Amino acid sequence: CCTVPALLLLAGCGGGSSASSAQPAASGIQERTIKAGIGLNQDHPEGKGLKKFAELVSQKSGGKLKVQPFYDAQLGDDKKMTEALQGGLQEITIPSTSPLVGMIKEFGIFDFPFVFHDEKEADAVLDGPLGQKLLEKLPEHNLIGLGYWENGFRNLTNSKHPVVKAEDFKGLKIRTMQNQVHLEAFQALGANPTPMAFSEVFSALESKTVDGQENPLATIKTSKFNEVQQYLSVTKHVYTPFVFLVSKKFWDKLSPEEQQILKEAAVEAGIYQRELNRAENRKALEELKNAGMEVNEVSEEERANMQAIIKPVIDKFAKEFGEDLVKEMYDQVEKARQ
Ligand code: KDG
């Protein structure tokens, strides 16, 4: 049983449907089409994970449940798709938790920079009791959370100069996600952050509306940001997760068998997606160098300096999100580190 990933066990008990006016199917599997949208493209590990999810759902339901994937924000950005789920207009999306903080403020603890050293620590927190506690807040927002997939450690790219030290952020116009922690953290570093939906980032970089952006290496590569950005600084300043969301209006109509199929497929595809993401991130640095980007690693000392500069912002938001919750996160990281 120990090889059964924690994620799978979690999904078994998480996201249970509660009473609702919608009539749930008593049993069996019906023919259904399920629209699932993401902001990234088909080449990104998230896109490949979504494709895998669609295949698994089809297999497990004998072809009756059909997941129709939409990539590249064809159905809208993270916020818009999440709202469509709440309204029952779309069934599934897998957004970053960051733009959802206006809705579920506690997700903001995952936006704190420099919390995790590696993916193992992130897995321990997300797949552990704290990650589960946050998923349990979703039903009151008409959403069901089936677990976390990986976006990953974010790094800075820009068209002006390498960022080696905290001072190098000064005056850089940086696109951030629509999230107050990111915004204020970059302001504290002296940058000029501009929140924007992901689908607008490439053209904002190309037209030089902004100087830079920050994302995991797999995203920088698959979204071809190297074509419009010269410098890549490996800051690893924050790990952001994806959360697998289902519309509660839709969920409450499903039979227990159908719900179980979606849960299992979300978890199995999530395990595949995390592995793929990590493999892609390992390869991407070399590939981005070969594609002509100038890459610099940021030293541990400088990262600690950046963290110290940002500390007042984190202290402020820790009060807002709940100091107990923040402490729980740091305690779980500490445990995973041992
Ligand atoms: O599909 C996910 C994307 O829409 C987005 O969350 C990616 O990290 C991201 C960003 O920078 O907006």
Side-chain angles (χ1 to χ4, degrees):
C1 119
C2 302
T3 53
V4 176
L7 205 62
L8 197 57
L9 298 175
L10 268 182
C13 58
S17 80
S18 56
S20 119
S21 52
Q23 205 46 272
S27 66
I29 305 169
Q30 292 184 25
E31 296 266 352
R32 299 182 193 271
T33 304
I34 301 168
K35 290 197 292 298
I38 59 169
L40 291 161
N41 62 35
Q42 300 190 45
D43 298 331
H44 190 280
E46 189 187 34
K48 293 184 179 163
L50 176 55
K51 186 158 173 267
K52 172 68 112 197
F53 171 77
E55 285 162 10
L56 288 169
V57 169
S58 172
Q59 270 166 28
K60 288 173 192 282
S61 67
K64 286 190 173 165
L65 299 178
K66 290 190 185 60
V67 176
Q68 230 185 325
F70 292 88
Y71 307 95
D72 269 327
Q74 281 173 54
L75 300 181
D77 62 28
D78 286 353
K79 267 166 99 171
K80 185 164 176 245
M81 287 193 281
T82 304
E83 283 160 17
L85 260 57
Q86 292 173 308
L89 303 169
Q90 179 182 331
E91 287 73 37
I92 289 174
T93 187
I94 319 166
S96 294
T97 48
S98 313
L100 306 187
V101 165
M103 200 183 284
I104 301 124
K105 70 169 186 197
E106 292 86 352
F107 270 147
I109 62 172
F110 299 139
D111 295 301
F112 288 2
F114 306 110
V115 172
F116 303 117
H117 281 170
D118 55 32
E119 287 91 356
K120 193 180 100 227
E121 294 177 7
D123 288 355
V125 170
L126 294 166
D127 299 344
L130 182 60
Q132 181 62 28
K133 197 192 296 188
L134 297 189
L135 293 184
E136 282 164 9
K137 294 194 177 292
L138 291 166
E140 68 199 64
H141 298 279
N142 283 322
L143 299 165
I144 298 292
L146 297 186
Y148 299 92
W149 285 17
E150 180 166 281
N151 195 351
F153 285 100
R154 306 178 77 89
N155 299 296
L156 188 83
T157 66
N158 82 94
S159 57
K160 297 273 180 188
H161 51 244
V163 170
V164 179
K165 294 193 169 67
E167 295 90 270
D168 300 328
F169 279 103
K170 289 224 166 71
L172 278 184
K173 265 199 222 156
I174 299 171
R175 174 271 174 175
T176 65
M177 288 195 277
Q178 294 144 302
N179 176 285
Q180 207 58 25
V181 181
H182 292 220
L183 196 73
E184 293 189 29
F186 280 109
Q187 272 164 352
L189 288 164
N192 186 359
T194 309
M196 195 185 285
F198 184 77
S199 53
E200 295 166 38
V201 178
F202 188 92
S203 59
L205 295 171
E206 191 173 36
S207 65
K208 301 236 163 34
T209 309
V210 293
D211 302 318
Q213 66 82 44
E214 43 83 58
N215 252 298
L217 297 174
T219 302
I220 296 169
K221 192 190 111 190
T222 53
S223 290
K224 300 193 165 64
F225 290 159
N226 55 292
E227 291 179 2
V228 285
Q229 298 274 269
Q230 182 62 30
Y231 303 100
L232 165 58
S233 303
V234 183
T235 45
K236 284 183 72 176
H237 54 275
V238 67
Y239 177 101
T240 54
F242 291 133
V243 59
F244 195 106
L245 298 179
V246 185
S247 160
K248 187 168 182 300
K249 283 196 174 164
F250 167 69
W251 186 259
D252 289 345
K253 287 186 225 154
L254 300 178
S255 69
E257 285 103 308
E258 290 171 322
Q259 291 182 347
Q260 190 59 26
I261 288 171
L262 295 188
K263 276 183 198 169
E264 284 177 12
V267 171
E268 286 171 36
I271 294 164
Y272 162 83
Q273 188 273 341
R274 280 183 182 173
E275 278 171 11
L276 193 64
N277 202 51
R278 288 165 199 182
E280 273 297 316
N281 278 332
R282 280 193 296 272
K283 281 195 312 194
L285 197 60
E286 259 333 282
E287 291 170 351
L288 290 166
K289 272 187 204 163
N290 292 340
M293 286 194 101
E294 230 171 275
V295 177
N296 70 285
E297 303 274 342
V298 176
S299 68
E300 276 308 317
E301 201 188 338
E302 261 318 307
R303 284 163 36 86
N305 183 29
M306 291 171 191
Q307 187 174 14
I309 295 171
I310 290 168
K311 189 167 182 299
V313 175
I314 299 314
D315 291 348
K316 176 185 133 182
F317 281 106
K319 285 203 182 74
E320 194 178 320
F321 301 152
E323 278 171 324
D324 290 351
L325 201 67
V326 173
K327 184 175 178 307
E328 206 178 318
M329 174 168 70
Y330 283 114
D331 287 350
Q332 288 184 20
V333 171
E334 202 48 53
K335 230 169 99 191
R337 208 164 273 175
Q338 279 156 16

